[in-house]
Amino acid sequence: MTLPSIPLSGVIGDPIAHSKSPKLHGYWLRKYGLNGQYVPLEVETDDLANVLKAMPRMGFVGCNVTLPHKERALHCVDQITDRATLIGAVNTIIFRNDGTSLGDNTDGYGFIENLRQGAPNWLADTGPAVVLGAGGAARAVIASLLDAGVAEIFLTNRTRARSEQLREDFGARVIIVDWIQAGNVLEKAATLVNTTSLGMIGKPELRVPLDGLQKNTVVTDLVYTPIQTPLLAKASSKGCTTVDGLGMLLHQAVPGFERWFGRRPVVDDETRQAIQ
Ligand code: NAP
């Protein structure tokens, strides 16, 4: 008699010890009583393609990919979803039964789901969004805001060339604002998103003046260490609805978990407690 195999998944990065994903998936596997394992995998850049090729033969049904491999992973899978192509990075891989691999990106999905859960009255068509930062995470945020129906995004970044690249990629609904002028567009914002690493423990503070911020603006920060960032604290003191970045991390994990282990997990307060 052959025993059923154990579906394996994991997260590939370098370094990887800090990742919260093994704790999160482990919690859901236990909570739902599912057969499966999710492990952290430290893989160097030069080994990524070979590791991804070998994983299905080792019992892996898929994996997450994190820094610094998200862009390179685009070139190491057989097929890429439209949203991963648009974002220009892969964070979730599915190994299919026929031996082929599918690269997806769930960061934008995670961002919007978190926003909708944390600010249930948020509507895409209320007004423009202001996005601070034009790095890798900003691409997912912009793609998902535009897809949700936000008409205009004011994008501001220290390095203007990166904003210009995003405008080229996403089109004229993205309007570039000089970093030095960032505070001047906040009055117009129905949504304010910090996608920079500013405000994170160990990083400089976010110095964008918040005087123009209106209390009906929904403010969200991708930084989740600390969970209550100085930006969220200030926005909250002005009466804004605020949404922290931890929820994005949790929501982006949902599609992968469902696909690999066969059950759609719920993101709730218990899930948040479990990984802190
Ligand atoms: P990234 O590609 O390295 O981009 C970093 C961004 O921060 C760039 O816009 C960069 O501006 C800006 N920045 C860094 N130092 C700055 C400074 N001193 N002054 C002004 N701007 C500065 O990183 P990323 O992958 O986009 O991640 C950004 C943040 O989002 C990180 O804190 C990350 O942990 C967080 N994140 C959270 C989630 C989640 O699930 N909650 C998911 C993804 C990312 P320049 O272009 O001028 O360098």
Side-chain angles (χ1 to χ4, degrees):
M1 187 184 85
T2 52
L3 292 169
S5 61
I6 298 172
L8 300 178
S9 186
V11 55
I12 296 179
D14 186 17
I16 202 60
H18 66 285
S19 172
K20 288 185 185 292
S21 295
K23 221 171 175 181
L24 172 61
H25 287 265
Y27 166 73
W28 280 335
L29 284 166
R30 282 193 307 281
K31 176 175 175 182
Y32 297 114
L34 297 171
N35 197 23
Q37 291 288 336
Y38 185 101
V39 289
L41 298 159
E42 190 166 299
V43 174
E44 289 182 13
T45 302
D46 287 347
D47 295 329
L48 182 66
N50 285 335
V51 167
L52 287 173
K53 211 170 276 172
M55 286 173 80
R57 295 199 287 270
M58 296 160 67
F60 280 84
V61 290
C63 64
N64 288 122
V65 180
T66 188
L67 300 178
H69 302 319
K70 285 181 170 191
E71 283 88 18
R72 182 173 278 243
L74 277 173
H75 310 288
C76 303
V77 290
D78 299 305
Q79 206 187 334
I80 305 162
T81 61
D82 289 346
R83 62 187 180 181
T85 305
L86 189 64
I87 294 167
V90 160
N91 78 338
T92 303
I93 297 177
I94 290 129
F95 299 126
R96 301 183 179 116
N97 289 339
D98 65 4
T100 62
S101 56
L102 175 70
D104 192 11
N105 192 309
T106 63
D107 278 338
Y109 163 86
F111 169 74
I112 284 287
E113 286 299 300
N114 184 43
L115 191 57
R116 293 207 158 112
Q117 187 176 46
N121 296 327
W122 181 83
L123 289 172
D125 59 7
T126 308
V130 172
V131 172
L132 310 175
R139 296 188 70 91
V141 167
I142 290 170
S144 63
L145 286 172
L146 292 176
D147 186 54
V150 173
E152 280 181 327
I153 295 176
F154 292 96
L155 174 63
T156 179
N157 191 52
R158 176 182 60 174
T159 309
R160 193 181 161 101
R162 286 181 104 180
S163 310
E164 283 167 357
Q165 184 61 55
L166 290 185
R167 182 184 160 90
E168 204 175 306
D169 294 347
F170 289 100
R173 283 158 74 195
V174 175
I175 298 152
I176 300 174
V177 176
D178 279 336
W179 183 237
I180 194 91
Q181 301 289 341
N184 297 342
V185 282
L186 295 186
E187 253 176 48
K188 302 179 188 166
T191 315
L192 171 63
V193 190
N194 176 39
T195 78
T196 74
S197 47
L198 299 172
M200 191 173 165
I201 292 169
K203 301 279 182 184
E205 62 183 285
L206 178 68
R207 290 226 171 86
V208 172
L210 297 177
D211 311 286
L213 192 62
Q214 305 293 306
K215 70 171 192 297
N216 54 351
T217 304
V218 173
V219 180
T220 183
D221 200 329
L222 266 57
V223 171
Y224 57 84
T225 50
I227 287 176
Q228 174 81 328
T229 62
L231 168 64
L232 295 181
K234 274 184 224 158
S236 188
S237 72
K238 280 178 163 262
C240 301
T241 301
T242 61
V243 182
D244 68 53
L246 184 65
M248 174 175 169
L249 180 80
L250 305 179
H251 282 283
Q252 64 77 31
V254 168
F257 186 93
E258 181 179 26
R259 189 71 191 251
W260 304 321
F261 302 119
R263 169 109 188 221
R264 191 166 186 85
V266 173
V267 174
D268 53 14
D269 283 343
E270 278 175 23
T271 315
R272 291 174 63 93
Q273 299 304 328
I275 70 153
Q276 285 179 50

